Amino acid sequence: MEQSQVKAVPPARIRYRLTPLQCALSMLPGIIIVASQVLFRLDGGPSGLYLLSELLVWCVLPIASRLFGVTLTPSAALVHNLRRRTIPWSSVQAIQIESLFGSRTVVIYEAGGRRTRLRAPITAPLNWDRSFEEKFHTIGRWWLDHRGPDWVPVPPPGAWWSGPPVSKANPYAPPA
């Protein structure tokens, strides 16, 4: 019996969003605030339509944050935030992990000096993502595979003061 071996075809797109646990944990403070406001109003506090607005702000927005993230395509990274941005792979200079207030996020550095912090993937002590490192390496590998043969590193913008001497190495290269 002869077996046919099918070549593994890489996906045309990869989408990263917040994990369901991260979305649920982001709703927890809102649920506590809304519950305390309901108890306050039942106890004789001022009433009104404030509860509806609080419910929208604290419960609907975290659900909508599930839409945030990044989509990797062969030509660009589509960053889904409040506005969708398209970052062509040919203009990306580096992809690194940065820490901010205990959370670790993926940051895309562009040739023009702009840096874009992705909302997903993200990991933090209370918002843990087990596959964060794997997602970071997938984004980096996707960039390396799709940036094109004409890609060249762009030197970083110069400082307006006479700073330390600039080395000949690629400034956007990940640390060794």
Side-chain angles (χ1 to χ4, degrees):
M1 178 186 256
E2 190 175 318
Q3 294 181 1
S4 68
Q5 293 182 347
V6 179
K7 229 182 188 183
V9 178
R13 304 182 133 209
I14 296 176
R15 175 78 191 255
Y16 290 126
R17 298 178 181 158
L18 294 175
T19 64
L21 179 62
Q22 289 173 330
C23 288
L25 286 176
S26 66
M27 289 177 16
L28 189 61
I31 292 170
I32 292 171
I33 289 173
V34 169
S36 66
Q37 290 295 321
V38 168
L39 292 175
F40 176 69
R41 288 191 178 93
L42 289 175
D43 196 33
S47 62
L49 295 177
Y50 297 116
L51 183 62
L52 181 62
S53 64
E54 291 167 0
L55 201 66
L56 286 174
V57 169
W58 291 102
C59 293
V60 173
L61 287 181
I63 293 170
S65 70
R66 178 86 173 115
L67 302 175
F68 296 150
V70 64
T71 302
L72 309 176
T73 66
S75 61
L78 304 174
V79 180
H80 306 278
N81 283 331
L82 295 176
R83 276 187 1 199
R84 190 171 100 168
R85 282 193 58 229
T86 302
I87 304 173
W89 292 121
S90 58
S91 70
V92 173
Q93 291 297 305
I95 297 176
Q96 296 180 346
I97 295 175
E98 287 188 3
S99 294
L100 179 69
F101 303 120
S103 66
R104 297 173 61 212
T105 59
V106 177
V107 180
I108 298 176
Y109 288 89
E110 297 178 53
R114 185 174 187 171
R115 60 186 260 277
T116 303
R117 183 181 300 273
L118 303 179
R119 291 192 182 212
I122 186 171
T123 189
L126 295 178
N127 281 336
W128 192 253
D129 184 359
R130 292 176 191 248
S131 59
F132 175 77
E133 294 289 331
E134 179 184 335
K135 292 175 183 177
F136 164 69
H137 289 295
T138 301
I139 294 171
R141 175 70 9 210
W142 197 272
W143 165 59
L144 292 174
D145 291 343
H146 295 94
R147 65 185 179 185
D150 298 336
W151 180 85
V152 292
V154 175
W160 57 273
W161 71 89
S162 59
V166 179
S167 68
K168 301 283 186 208
N170 182 359
Y172 294 106

